[in-house]
Amino acid sequence: GAARRCVIDMGIVRRRKVDVAADIPARRVADLPVELDGEEGRSIAAAERELAGRMVARYDAAMAARGTPSAELDRDLVHAIAVSERKDSESKKTGENVFGMMRRIGRAKAGLAADYTAQLARSVGKVVFFAKHIDVMDAAEEAFSSRGLRHVSIRGDQSPAQRQAARRGAGSLAKR
């Protein structure tokens, strides 16, 4: 009760997209894949291959050291390797880690996704844009503003009062 309310008021709780989408009436929910091409896309693909190869090699080495290979994926070991990769990449021992890679992909796709969202908003009206990272939302909002689209943003780093004001702003956009 009170502890949950305190955590929510601090803005720590993150809702899943499916939970948030359930709050939106008369909706159509679609995840749209955005393909990266050009130099940025090739750079990300190369970094992904390097990261995947490094992580698979670490996993295989750990499984071989156990001496008891398993047909099932050891999720705890995968998690431990991802944590280890993050620590190693932070100390510059390795290349990009999983978390950095996801963020890099999100930033690279932000402009393309915002462009598509802006086109969609012009044809169907109100659209909800979800992003995992603040810098992706920043890029999307910049794109919306540059195209003259009115928008409001509800973010995890906002106070409850800021979120409520944003919700009221979203309601006024719907009425116009």
Side-chain angles (χ1 to χ4, degrees), residues 11-175:
I12 295 173
V13 173
R14 205 171 132 199
R15 295 173 71 191
R16 295 177 307 154
K17 181 170 53 174
V18 68
D19 295 335
V20 176
D23 292 349
I24 303 169
R27 72 203 176 268
R28 183 173 299 168
V29 177
D31 285 326
L32 301 171
V34 177
E35 294 298 322
L36 295 174
D37 54 6
E39 183 56 37
E40 181 71 11
R42 286 188 294 277
S43 171
I44 287 173
E48 284 177 324
R49 283 190 301 274
E50 179 186 328
L51 172 62
R54 197 171 55 243
M55 291 181 71
V56 167
R58 288 176 93 163
Y59 181 88
D60 289 345
M63 292 301 285
R66 286 182 179 173
T68 56
S70 171
E72 289 187 36
L73 183 68
D74 182 335
R75 294 186 186 283
D76 291 334
L77 179 57
V78 170
H79 181 345
I81 289 170
V83 168
S84 178
E85 275 289 323
R86 186 183 70 220
K87 288 178 184 173
D88 288 351
S89 68
E90 288 170 355
S91 64
K92 306 296 183 222
K93 291 180 185 176
T94 64
E96 292 187 70
N97 65 43
V98 173
F99 308 104
M101 181 63 60
M102 294 302 293
R103 193 173 193 131
R104 183 175 173 200
I105 292 168
R107 280 193 309 265
K109 290 183 174 185
L112 297 169
D115 284 343
Y116 181 79
T117 302
Q119 292 173 25
L120 188 61
R122 290 201 195 302
S123 65
V124 300
K126 192 174 180 182
V127 176
V128 179
F129 182 94
F130 292 95
K132 192 176 285 190
H133 302 290
I134 298 278
D135 48 353
V136 172
M137 279 304 297
D138 290 342
E141 288 179 1
E142 201 172 292
F144 299 151
S145 293
S146 72
R147 286 161 184 75
L149 289 176
R150 291 175 296 167
H151 60 278
V152 296
S153 180
I154 298 174
R155 299 167 172 241
D157 62 346
Q158 293 173 323
S159 71
Q162 290 170 316
R163 279 193 216 107
Q164 190 59 38
R167 285 185 187 99
R168 283 192 299 274
S172 69
L173 286 179
K175 293 175 186 170

